[in-house]
Amino acid sequence: MRTAAAHRRKGVAAALVDHIVAEAHARGLTRLSLETGTHEFFAPARALYAGRGFVTCPPFVGYTDDPHSTFMTLAPVPARDPQGDVVELSERLPGA
């Protein structure tokens, strides 16, 4: 995922990640995994994913160790409200 320069720092990428996580939760997925770069250019993306609960992990299906790749995963997939905040079990939204 890459945000156009004119739209960076406006929450576009965060909104997309939050939507993907919410949709994964709604579909009953238990894990989301991603690959991103290791170079400094990708530091904002890694920070975004880490801020949403993703942690580094080994390569997953179809990938091998690569010095240019960082692998991250989120499990379990949490419920999130429309603002991207994690919804505690006692606060789950209807249908979540």
Side-chain angles (χ1 to χ4, degrees):
M1 171 172 59
R2 184 162 181 205
T3 303
H7 299 289
R8 289 186 192 145
R9 310 297 309 158
K10 295 181 181 179
V12 174
L16 286 171
V17 171
D18 291 342
H19 177 77
I20 290 166
V21 169
E23 188 63 25
H25 177 81
R27 293 176 182 224
L29 298 180
T30 58
R31 176 180 303 275
L32 285 174
S33 298
L34 61 88
E35 179 274 337
T36 189
T38 56
H39 299 287
E40 186 60 29
F41 176 81
F42 296 99
R46 292 190 307 270
L48 171 66
Y49 301 135
R52 294 303 195 264
F54 285 81
V55 295
T56 57
C57 66
F60 39 87
V61 177
Y63 287 96
T64 59
D65 276 325
D66 179 337
H68 302 288
S69 293
T70 297
F71 302 95
M72 302 181 83
T73 193
L74 176 67
V77 177
R80 293 190 183 271
D81 66 17
Q83 289 74 43
D85 297 319
V86 172
V87 178
E88 298 300 326
L89 291 176
S90 61
E91 307 174 45
R92 295 254 168 131
L93 300 172

